Amino acid sequence: MPLFTRPASLALPVLLTITLSGCSVMRSYDNELKQTVDLVGQGQIDQALTQHEANNTGGDFDLLYYLEKGELLRLKSRYKDSAEAWLLADQKVNDWENEAKIRAGAVLENVGAVVLNDKTRRYDGHDYEKVMLSTRLALDHLSAGDWNAARTEIKKTHEREAIIAEINAKETEALEQESEEKGITTTFKDLNGYPVETLNSPEVTTLKNGYQSAFSHYLAGFVYEALNEPGLASPGYRQAIELRPDIKILEDGLAMLESRPSLRKPNETDVLFVVESGAAPALSSVTIPVPVIVSNLGVIPISFPVLHSDPSRTLQPSTVSVDGKNTLPLAAVTSLDTMSKRALRDDMPGIIVRGILRAAAKAMSQKALMDQGGGAALAGIALNIANVITESADERTWRTLPATISIARVTLPSGKHDVTVGGSKQLIDVQGSHAVVVTRLLGNQAYWSQPVFGPQMPVYAAPANIEPAANIDAALIKKSPAKTKKKKAKKSIYQAQKDNS
């Protein structure tokens, strides 16, 4: 059955959309951000910021503008300015949340995506970017010494994950219905010439989803623990273990939650080292012939996004050295490289449906004009040329994010220490009961955060009495980490935070 049975009158919408959105249609975000990331890897942050502003003019900035700007400002240790940029990005994500709850399941909400390409769609961010935004904001606040503001962002992380899960469920259902109605059965595995292995590797398929990260949840546990809220720290550590089982530092976070306060002596600081390596993978466009039913069966080229990792930018050290004698193993707990591939894998059904409907619409428009002959036929030729020029996948993605995040944790005497990561040495000063030290490695550069004094929590003489947060399955909390990963709580483990905050 043809995808479109009505007369094709889409030529004008196609040409009009090209005229109105020409800049976004032809923009290569991959090329722009490759230069920016290269500058960051060379230590030229000011030049990277200047280029970023030059690539974004007009004043009506999109989500990506604020995401990238916030990351660049953070690398300059301008945490307040970085947070301001990211809070503007956060507002756009909030707008998406409010709209998505209403229009969840609107697979074809943007006519430009049907008649032109996905670049005409408003960029709302990939799901992992929305969640990671809150985590990055929390790190900004921690670097500025505002642990309560970090707590606010961590709470938002959990709420955002729940919203994404709900919206994705509705959109998956709607997409399946749309595909069935239109007779679309193509999957990314059917795309001859598409690098299926990038989305079908074991590390990608074994991820629970493409937006929850073990690092975000471990950081939640660390912050709640620092603020003397062990009942909320426990679910954070537990969720981190569920997302990345069999990693000792994650398991120790939960197992030692009760005993750590009594082990820490006066004038000691519990330090979390966060080492971010490389840059998130780039998206490029690949054009693949796909069978599309119009008035008869034809093969029409459709463009699809492909992710490209860059190992040359990803120096992933295995240890952190403190004062030249204390060597700590670094555990890679989150791969944004892998998460982005899982996110694309989950998004591919919608991308394919829009691509096939777009190809059918273009073919119908062109055929209708050619059948009329004369001047209309010339317009059909022009439309065909426009279709070829504008057929491109959406390359937009948050490129300045790191590729991997690794962590190490140790209790140190409060004060100054020489810390070495990946050949880069930095003098840090840790104070208070807890501190977070962030190092970003990219290219031949290392960017360090200098921790501001952490919270002044008391040193406990006895283990803290950890009560399960409300609505958490108490039996689950008492299980060992090894057993926990085999069972799930009856309710979201973070529902408690929403109830208690």
Side-chain angles (χ1 to χ4, degrees), residues 254-295:
L254 180 63
M256 299 180 66
L257 181 56
E258 292 188 24
S259 61
R260 253 190 309 269
S262 62
L263 297 175
R264 181 170 49 82
K265 301 175 182 178
N267 299 319
E268 285 188 338
T269 303
D270 189 350
V271 183
L272 177 63
F273 291 101
V274 179
V275 179
E276 304 171 347
S277 306
L283 278 171
S284 65
S285 179
V286 59
T287 302
I288 297 173
V290 177
V292 175
I293 299 175
V294 185
S295 57

Side-chain angles (χ1 to χ4, degrees), residues 131-202:
V131 176
M132 193 53 61
L133 171 60
S134 293
T135 302
R136 309 305 276 175
L137 266 166
L139 288 174
D140 260 2
H141 294 314
L142 291 174
S143 297
D146 192 342
W147 287 67
N148 287 319
R151 184 191 187 281
T152 299
E153 290 304 325
I154 283 168
K155 178 175 178 289
K156 187 187 302 178
T157 298
H158 315 321
E159 296 169 345
R160 185 158 288 168
E161 288 179 350
I163 292 171
I164 289 171
E166 178 184 357
I167 291 170
N168 284 352
K170 292 180 180 178
E171 292 192 342
T172 297
E173 181 181 356
L175 186 63
E176 290 174 353
Q177 181 179 350
E178 185 80 20
S179 300
E180 184 177 352
E181 291 176 357
K182 296 294 192 298
I184 299 174
T185 59
T186 303
T187 70
F188 74 88
K189 297 178 183 179
D190 303 321
L191 301 177
N192 187 23
Y194 190 89
V196 175
E197 66 280 359
T198 61
L199 305 184
N200 224 27
S201 63

Side-chain angles (χ1 to χ4, degrees), residues 302-411:
I302 304 175
S303 294
F304 299 97
V306 177
L307 278 164
H308 299 278
S309 304
D310 188 350
S312 66
R313 289 202 182 101
T314 310
L315 170 64
Q316 190 174 327
S318 58
T319 61
V320 174
S321 175
V322 181
D323 297 325
K325 55 184 179 180
N326 195 355
T327 300
L328 311 171
L330 275 170
V333 296
T334 289
S335 170
L336 288 164
D337 186 285
T338 304
M339 287 179 67
S340 63
K341 291 172 183 174
R342 175 56 189 261
L344 179 57
R345 189 181 196 275
D346 294 341
D347 289 344
M348 280 300 283
I351 294 171
I352 289 171
V353 168
R354 289 192 300 273
I356 289 177
L357 295 181
R358 181 171 67 245
K362 290 179 178 180
M364 290 289 285
S365 299
Q366 183 183 346
K367 183 177 183 303
L369 290 171
M370 297 297 290
D371 288 347
Q372 293 178 37
L378 292 176
I381 295 173
L383 181 59
N384 181 49
I385 295 173
N387 287 339
V388 172
I389 293 174
T390 59
E391 180 55 32
S392 175
D394 193 350
E395 300 172 342
R396 293 173 294 178
T397 184
W398 188 356
R399 288 290 311 284
T400 53
L401 278 174
T404 59
I405 301 177
S406 304
I407 60 173
R409 185 171 180 175
V410 67
T411 299

